[in-house]
């Protein structure tokens, strides 16, 4: 409804026309409030020059090269496309329909044995034609980290994922990340014991480093699994731990320091209690500010000030709502809530741009507006952290995308019943 209203404005109409004409990747956006997500911060009345799908310059009074499309932003905000969080976009269409869900591996499901397959890589199942992608993209979300999940018959080591740009391309960018789930959500995979989770992780370290041979009767890993873990246990890749309870986070910090691992935390409902230690260890934390009440015994210390307290201690804070593939577009609300609870606006914005880009090794391509970065940009109607604002236009590689999705098609079909299309269902009697 809000986008329909905006489509009646002159600016939106101009952009709509431009979106069909702009097959070229040369673009000048003039007179914008440019939130760069770099050390430059936010620039008023600034321009963004794009050529060949790449940002070439950011500043005032830039000139458009011949043939470039020119957009007057009329002072509205322009940002890089936002991070959608750790999701299953492209891996899941309908949660309740198993044939459309590709996020977990459960090779031991029939025997109830834990099967450890860290070589499992969810990016191989990514579907760039998922209907979730246009729905998410027209809300200003341009990239996401595909996460591997845990399930009965799998293990606490869920597998690997990677960053996907929502541009219709099939391949991930940047390095892979390994996903491990600790605490209550994976007790069923570790004999109902948190202590067993550390025992199992220590065994995987021993196998990877050759202290337990592959022929040992207790070995858990395949040759491919050992090769996969060698990279992460050698400090060469980011390991994302899904964990909430402060006691588990404290143990995680000890364990990761002992083995010199590069980790991040997803969830972290009680992370604020370890804030100075997380900052000292340079561990980024991806929080869900809506998890601000003690919904279970792993979140007794949940606080709406979690993000603000972490950042005040020096922790790099990002945002993600677990399993929110169908609502990844609402990640802006997470950042906005954190700002409302004391997080500085610039840090809230960084949590959707610079922080995840740096944490997951793709800062050279996305997450900021600066020369050399991909021209994945969004023009907003207002503050991007305000859910009342909408994305007026999204560009991927400097190309204006069509601001339509399956949801907008359905909205328009039933909002205007006289559009000539037949109803999918008959009207109730008497109407």
């Amino acid at each position: 409804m809000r986008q329909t209203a905006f489509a009646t404005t002159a600016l939106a109409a101009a952009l709509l026309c431009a979106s069909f004409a702009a097959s070229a990747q040369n673009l000048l956006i003039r007179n914008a409030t440019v939130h760069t997500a770099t050390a430059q911060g936010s620039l008023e009345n600034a321009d963004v020059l794009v050529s060949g799908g790449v940002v070439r310059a950011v500043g005032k009074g830039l000139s458009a090269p011949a043939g470039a499309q020119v957009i007057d932003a009329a002072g509205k905000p322009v940002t890089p496309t936002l991070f959608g969080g750790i999701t299953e976009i492209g891996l899941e269409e309908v949660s309740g329909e198993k044939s459309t869900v590709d996020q977990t591996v459960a090779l031991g499901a029939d025997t109830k044995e834990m099967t450890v397959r860290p070589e499992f890589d969810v990016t191989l199942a990514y579907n760039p034609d998922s209907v979730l992608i246009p729905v998410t993209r027209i809300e200003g979300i341009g990239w996401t980290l595909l996460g591997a999940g845990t399930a009965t018959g799998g293990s606490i080591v869920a597998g690997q994922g990677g960053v996907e740009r929502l541009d219709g391309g099939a391949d991930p960018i940047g390095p892979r990340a390994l996903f491990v789930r600790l605490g209550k959500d994976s007790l069923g995979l570790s004999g109902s014991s948190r202590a067993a989770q550390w025992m199992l992780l220590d065994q995987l370290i021993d196998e990877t480093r050759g202290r337990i041979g592959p022929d040992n009767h207790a070995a858990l890993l395949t040759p491919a699994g050992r090769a996969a873990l060698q990279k992460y246990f050698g400090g060469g890749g980011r390991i994302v731990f899904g964990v909430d309870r402060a006691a588990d986070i404290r143990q995680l910090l000890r364990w990761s320091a002992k083995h010199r691992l590069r980790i991040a935390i997803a969830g972290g409902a009680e992370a604020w209690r370890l804030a100075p230690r997380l900052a000292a260890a340079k561990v980024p934390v991806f929080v869900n500010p809506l998890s601000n009440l003690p919904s279970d015994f792993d979140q007794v210390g949940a606080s709406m000030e979690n993000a603000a307290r972490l950042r005040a201690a020096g922790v790099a804070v990002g945002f993600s709502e677990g399993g929110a593939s169908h609502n990844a577009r609402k990640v802006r609300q997470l950042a906005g809530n954190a700002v409302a609870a004391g997080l500085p606006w610039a840090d809230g914005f960084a949590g959707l741009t610079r922080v995840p880009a740096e944490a997951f090794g793709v800062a050279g391509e996305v997450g900021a507006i600066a020369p050399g970065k991909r021209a994945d940009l969004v023009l907003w109607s207002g503050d991007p952290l305000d859910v009342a604002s909408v994305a007026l236009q999204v560009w991927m590689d400097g190309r204006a995308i069509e601001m339509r999705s399956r949801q907008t098609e359905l909205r328009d079909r039933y909002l205007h019943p006289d559009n000539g299309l037949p109803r999918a269902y008959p009207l109730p009697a008497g109407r």
Side-chain angles (χ1 to χ4, degrees):
M1 291 292 290
R2 283 180 280 135
Q3 288 200 350
T4 299
F6 272 99
T8 62
T9 66
L11 175 60
L15 289 168
L16 182 62
C17 295
S19 69
F20 293 105
S23 58
Q25 302 172 47
N26 300 325
L27 171 71
L28 177 65
I29 303 174
R30 284 196 304 214
N31 189 27
T33 299
V34 182
H35 300 297
T36 66
T38 71
Q40 281 191 294
S42 299
L43 307 175
E44 301 285 344
N45 303 316
D47 308 333
V48 180
L49 178 62
V50 174
S51 176
V54 175
V55 174
R56 299 297 180 187
V58 182
K60 296 186 178 182
L62 301 180
S63 299
Q69 181 188 4
V70 179
I71 297 291
D72 185 351
K76 297 183 183 301
V78 170
T79 71
T81 56
L82 305 182
F83 174 61
I86 302 168
T87 72
E88 300 84 45
I89 295 173
L91 301 176
E92 173 184 295
E93 297 292 343
V94 180
S95 304
E97 172 50 52
K98 291 183 178 180
S99 65
T100 70
V101 179
D102 290 298
Q103 190 206 5
T104 61
V105 59
L107 300 178
D110 292 337
T111 61
K112 306 300 182 186
E113 294 177 350
M114 187 181 77
T115 303
V116 187
R117 301 299 293 267
E119 64 270 38
F120 175 62
D121 182 350
V122 297
T123 66
L124 300 177
Y126 177 68
N127 176 18
D129 298 320
S130 167
V131 297
L132 295 188
I133 292 175
V135 171
T136 305
R137 189 172 53 199
I138 64 173
E139 300 283 348
I141 308 299
W143 52 291
T144 185
L145 176 64
L146 298 184
T150 55
T152 301
S155 79
I156 61 175
V157 180
Q160 303 174 78
V163 171
E164 290 281 358
R165 292 174 63 239
L166 306 182
D167 65 338
D171 299 320
I173 61 172
R176 299 290 192 274
L178 181 71
F179 292 85
V180 179
R181 185 70 201 181
L182 300 176
K184 68 173 182 59
D185 289 339
S186 56
L187 286 177
L189 298 169
S190 59
S192 299
S193 169
R194 285 180 170 79
Q197 293 172 355
W198 300 110
M199 177 190 73
L200 292 167
L201 288 173
D202 279 340
Q203 176 173 338
L204 296 177
I205 289 278
D206 287 341
E207 287 190 41
T208 302
R209 294 179 177 172
R211 293 190 285 269
I212 296 176
D215 297 330
N216 189 296
H217 72 281
L220 295 170
L221 297 171
T222 66
R226 283 192 296 277
L229 287 188
Q230 281 171 355
K231 176 177 67 175
Y232 297 101
F233 289 172
R238 182 78 71 179
I239 309 175
V240 181
F241 285 84
V243 60
D244 284 310
R245 195 166 77 169
D248 295 332
I249 296 172
R250 184 180 296 109
Q251 183 61 25
L252 173 60
L253 288 172
R254 292 172 180 161
W255 186 80
S256 60
K258 175 183 176 183
H259 297 295
R260 299 181 180 179
L261 308 181
R262 296 177 62 233
I263 69 169
I265 288 176
E270 296 187 346
W272 64 270
R273 297 178 62 186
L274 282 301
R277 295 180 62 175
L278 288 163
K282 301 186 185 307
V283 176
V285 181
F286 290 82
V287 301
N288 177 3
L290 299 184
S291 295
N292 51 30
L293 291 173
S295 60
D296 58 50
F297 285 96
D298 276 18
Q299 301 182 20
V300 173
S303 168
M304 63 190 304
E305 297 176 351
N306 190 14
R309 293 176 181 180
L310 286 167
R311 187 65 199 123
V315 178
V317 176
F319 301 98
S320 183
E321 183 179 2
S325 302
H326 293 79
N327 289 315
R329 52 188 169 170
K330 294 184 178 179
V331 71
R332 293 190 294 127
Q333 182 179 357
L334 306 187
N337 275 40
V339 170
L343 182 71
W345 189 94
D347 291 319
F349 182 62
L352 297 176
T353 52
R354 177 178 53 79
V355 169
E358 292 178 347
F360 301 122
V362 293
E365 296 190 61
V366 298
I369 300 178
K373 309 284 188 184
R374 287 180 180 270
D376 294 351
L377 307 169
V378 188
L379 174 64
W380 300 92
S381 65
D383 183 349
L385 302 192
D386 183 344
V387 294
S389 302
V390 298
L392 296 174
Q393 183 61 59
V394 176
W395 292 269
M396 302 294 292
D397 285 329
R399 292 190 177 92
I401 69 164
E402 194 171 6
M403 300 295 284
R404 302 177 71 86
S405 72
R406 184 172 183 272
Q407 290 187 353
T408 63
E409 296 287 338
L410 288 170
R411 175 202 63 192
D412 294 343
R413 175 170 181 166
Y414 292 105
L415 187 65
H416 306 291
D418 298 328
N419 58 12
L421 294 173
R423 290 187 63 85
Y425 303 98
L427 284 172
R431 294 183 61 187

